[in-house]
């Protein structure tokens, strides 16, 4: 299945991408095209290569063969494309399972750091944007706290605001709610749902199947480093075709 149309160029184009960790072949001939505004959810068993796949998209992992173009910037195998890599890192936002906030910086400083350093914004512009984003994720009153003073759900919303402050063209999420207490999962998913509604292009690794079904335009199932199946949530959950997909769904639903 392809969602790409000729009128809309892909924001991500991965062709025959292969990634090895030593002798371990982690991604095997991955072809993936993502169009602007699309919300893609990646699911699969632990160790199947989901994190590695999205980490390749923002250049956190090198790959050994194939091509990868993100918003017109092409990364070559084995990291030989430093200019493209720099551009991609500023244009692709990422939210990790473990928040990864700077513990010694206040919430507001966590958010303003990159826009000031990388984009060259003035402090007042960066602070104004940060406050608007904190308001948007529902924690405007936490701006002067430090990460350790916040709940996990609040920290993850700061991480989201921090990524959005760079005005990314694409957002990657690697199990953003897996480290949260159950009562905090909803507030983070709500913020992501809003972002999807506003038209952000998003690639999300998650085990939240209800959320996936609701927000995804497309679901991709990874099995042992290969795309085993993909389709709309309706196709995917109601009529999975692949045996590995069926047994995975039987375990998690
Ligand atoms: P997932 O996110 O689906 O759980 P990962 O992409 O993290 O899977 O890992 C895929 C495979 O690659 C696993 O077998 C994992 O152990 C291995 N792997 C991941 N990162 C590294 C690394 N830095 N060095 C060596 N092996 C790794
Ligand atoms: Mg992972």
């Amino acid at each position: 299945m392809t969602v790409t149309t000729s009128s809309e160029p892909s924001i991500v184009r991965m062709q025959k991408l292969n990634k090895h960790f030593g002798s371990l072949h982690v991604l095997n001939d991955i072809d993936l095209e993502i169009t602007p505004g699309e919300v893609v959810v990646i699911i699969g068993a632990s160790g199947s290569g989901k994190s590695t796949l999205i980490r390749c998209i923002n250049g956190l992992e090198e790959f050994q063969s194939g091509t990868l173009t993100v918003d017109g910037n092409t990364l070559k195998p084995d990291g030989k494309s430093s200019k493209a890599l720099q551009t991609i890192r500023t244009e692709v936002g990422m939210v990790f399972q473990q928040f990864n906030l700077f513990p010694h910086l206040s919430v507001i400083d966590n958010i303003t750091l990159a826009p000031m350093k990388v984009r060259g914004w003035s402090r007042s512009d960066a602070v104004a944007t940060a406050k608007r984003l904190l308001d948007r994720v529902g924690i405007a009153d936490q701006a002067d706290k430090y990460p350790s003073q916040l709940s996990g759900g609040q920290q993850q919303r700061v991480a989201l605001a921090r990524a959005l402050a760079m005005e990314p063209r694409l957002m990657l999420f690697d199990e953003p709610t897996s480290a949260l207490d159950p009562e905090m999962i909803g507030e983070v998913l709500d913020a992501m749902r809003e972002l999807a509604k506003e038209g952000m292009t998003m690639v999300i690794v998650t085990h939240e199947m209800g959320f996936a079904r609701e927000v995804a335009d497309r679901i991709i199932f990874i099995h042992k480093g290969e795309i085993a199946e993909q389709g709309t949530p309706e196709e995917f959950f109601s009529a999975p075709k692949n045996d590995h997909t069926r047994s995975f769904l039987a375990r998690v639903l």
Side-chain angles (χ1 to χ4, degrees):
M1 189 198 88
T2 175
V3 183
T4 308
T5 63
S6 55
S7 62
E8 197 153 30
S10 306
I11 188 161
V12 174
R13 171 172 290 144
M14 218 177 237
Q15 287 169 315
K16 297 250 170 289
L17 187 131
N18 284 275
K19 164 77 185 172
H20 302 256
F21 283 117
S23 60
L24 190 64
H25 195 173
V26 181
L27 297 176
N28 188 355
D29 275 348
I30 299 278
D31 288 316
L32 173 63
E33 301 231 6
I34 298 172
T35 50
E38 199 179 2
V39 177
V40 175
V41 168
I42 297 177
I43 65 177
S46 176
S48 57
K50 306 179 297 296
S51 294
T52 306
L53 176 62
I54 66 166
R55 288 165 63 83
C56 282
I57 298 177
N58 70 346
L60 282 177
E61 297 287 354
E62 295 176 355
F63 50 93
Q64 281 72 48
S65 69
T67 61
L68 171 61
T69 302
V70 180
D71 200 23
N73 304 284
T74 298
L75 287 180
K76 301 198 181 86
D78 294 316
K80 295 182 219 103
S81 25
S82 60
K83 183 83 183 7
L85 188 60
Q86 273 180 5
T87 310
I88 288 171
R89 292 228 174 118
T90 61
E91 291 187 4
V92 179
M94 182 144 178
V95 172
F96 301 86
Q97 182 175 336
Q98 295 296 340
F99 327 139
N100 292 8
L101 297 174
F102 305 114
H104 59 292
L105 295 182
S106 67
V107 164
I108 199 87
D109 288 345
N110 261 279
I111 300 173
T112 56
L113 183 71
M116 287 166 63
K117 262 186 119 154
V118 181
R119 294 256 192 247
W121 292 10
S122 69
R123 176 157 184 88
S124 60
D125 282 352
V127 167
T129 298
K131 288 193 166 158
R132 181 173 52 76
L133 288 167
L134 283 173
D135 189 44
R136 182 162 144 196
V137 298
I139 44 173
D141 49 341
Q142 307 295 322
D144 298 318
K145 297 231 177 109
Y146 283 82
S148 61
Q149 298 173 298
L150 303 180
S151 71
Q154 291 172 324
Q155 289 187 60
Q156 195 58 304
R157 285 181 286 157
V158 173
L160 177 58
R162 181 177 63 175
L164 294 177
M166 286 292 281
E167 301 182 327
R169 297 266 295 132
L170 167 71
M171 281 290 299
L172 309 175
F173 295 86
D174 193 358
E175 300 197 28
T177 61
S178 294
L180 298 176
D181 292 334
E183 73 271 21
M184 291 170 191
I185 292 175
E187 64 200 42
V188 171
L189 295 182
D190 283 347
M192 292 171 64
R193 200 176 276 121
E194 281 303 307
L195 194 59
K197 267 193 215 146
E198 288 162 18
M200 177 63 77
T201 310
M202 299 163 75
V203 183
I204 306 166
V205 175
T206 186
H207 297 292
E208 296 290 332
M209 294 299 142
F211 175 76
R213 188 171 196 142
E214 181 196 337
V215 305
D217 295 309
R218 177 164 41 138
I219 300 201
I220 293 179
F221 179 73
I222 305 271
H223 179 74
K224 295 188 175 167
E226 297 186 16
I227 294 180
E229 177 160 6
Q230 56 181 316
T232 64
E234 179 62 24
E235 292 165 345
F236 186 84
F237 287 109
S238 307
K241 296 182 193 76
N242 182 283
D243 285 344
H244 299 299
T245 314
R246 285 202 205 102
S247 62
F248 179 82
L249 291 177
R251 274 182 279 133
V252 299
L253 289 181

